[in-house]
Amino acid sequence: MKTVEIFTDGACSGNPGPGGYGAILRYKGKEKEIRGGSENTTNNRMELLAVIEALKLLKEPCIVQLYSDSQYVCNAFNLGWVEKWKAKNWMRTKSEPVKNPELWKELYDLCQKHKVTYNWVKGHHGHPENERCDRLAVGYYQRYL
């Protein structure tokens, strides 16, 4: 299996408000940048979409080292939350559904195709790829302002 590095970030002006995401995919020294967003969204949706859209670009199963400043995304996988949510039909508790269930389902399915390791990086602390992804995300949503 190929090993790919993916760096992601999501951003929002207001929450909800206009938002964007950015990602960098790196394989054997070659990089591809992607970005997107929505006129009315939340930061967590953009963090999830950054990962989803990047993984969707992989044409075959890969080993993925994913780097994100979103504890929401990283902890969901690293602490086993997503497995618990899935087992409870995407519910956090008996009466409280998971927020963004359609995105979690899509991300969960993508992670079944790839071997993804989630690495949390502290945002806005000089991590070069995280800073680039932030610029991609913010640049995208600023077109709505």
Side-chain angles (χ1 to χ4, degrees):
M1 288 173 78
K2 296 176 179 174
T3 299
V4 178
E5 288 180 299
I6 297 176
F7 306 88
T8 65
D9 197 20
C12 213
S13 180
N15 203 19
Y21 66 82
I24 303 164
L25 293 87
R26 183 182 293 149
Y27 175 68
K28 289 190 174 181
K30 297 199 188 269
E31 292 183 346
K32 178 176 182 71
E33 291 182 350
I34 63 169
R35 63 180 160 205
S38 179
E39 192 172 341
N40 187 33
T41 190
T42 65
N43 187 68
N44 283 341
R45 288 187 69 80
M46 293 297 94
E47 295 284 2
L48 285 164
L49 273 174
V51 178
I52 289 167
E53 295 302 324
L55 289 173
K56 284 169 55 175
L57 291 176
L58 302 178
K59 296 177 178 150
E60 61 190 73
C62 294
I63 297 168
V64 177
Q65 289 294 325
L66 187 125
Y67 299 87
S68 171
D69 65 2
S70 171
Q71 289 190 10
Y72 178 61
V73 172
C74 292
N75 285 345
F77 286 92
N78 292 337
L79 300 179
W81 301 346
V82 76
E83 291 294 338
K84 291 176 187 168
W85 297 338
K86 182 180 184 301
K88 294 193 285 189
N89 199 26
W90 302 101
M91 297 291 287
R92 289 187 64 212
T93 67
K94 285 186 179 186
S95 61
E96 183 184 1
V98 170
K99 292 181 182 173
N100 308 304
E102 75 287 359
L103 296 179
W104 283 113
K105 290 175 192 176
E106 186 173 10
L107 181 52
Y108 181 87
D109 289 344
L110 286 164
C111 288
Q112 301 314 296
K113 298 175 186 175
H114 308 286
K115 185 175 189 244
V116 182
T117 300
Y118 285 84
N119 301 284
W120 180 75
V121 297
K122 192 166 188 174
H124 308 289
H125 272 75
H127 186 282
E129 291 85 359
N130 181 257
E131 297 292 340
R132 279 174 58 197
C133 289
D134 182 67
R135 286 192 297 274
L136 290 169
V138 171
Y140 191 89
Y141 80 63
Q142 284 181 335
R143 65 192 225 171
Y144 294 115
L145 298 177

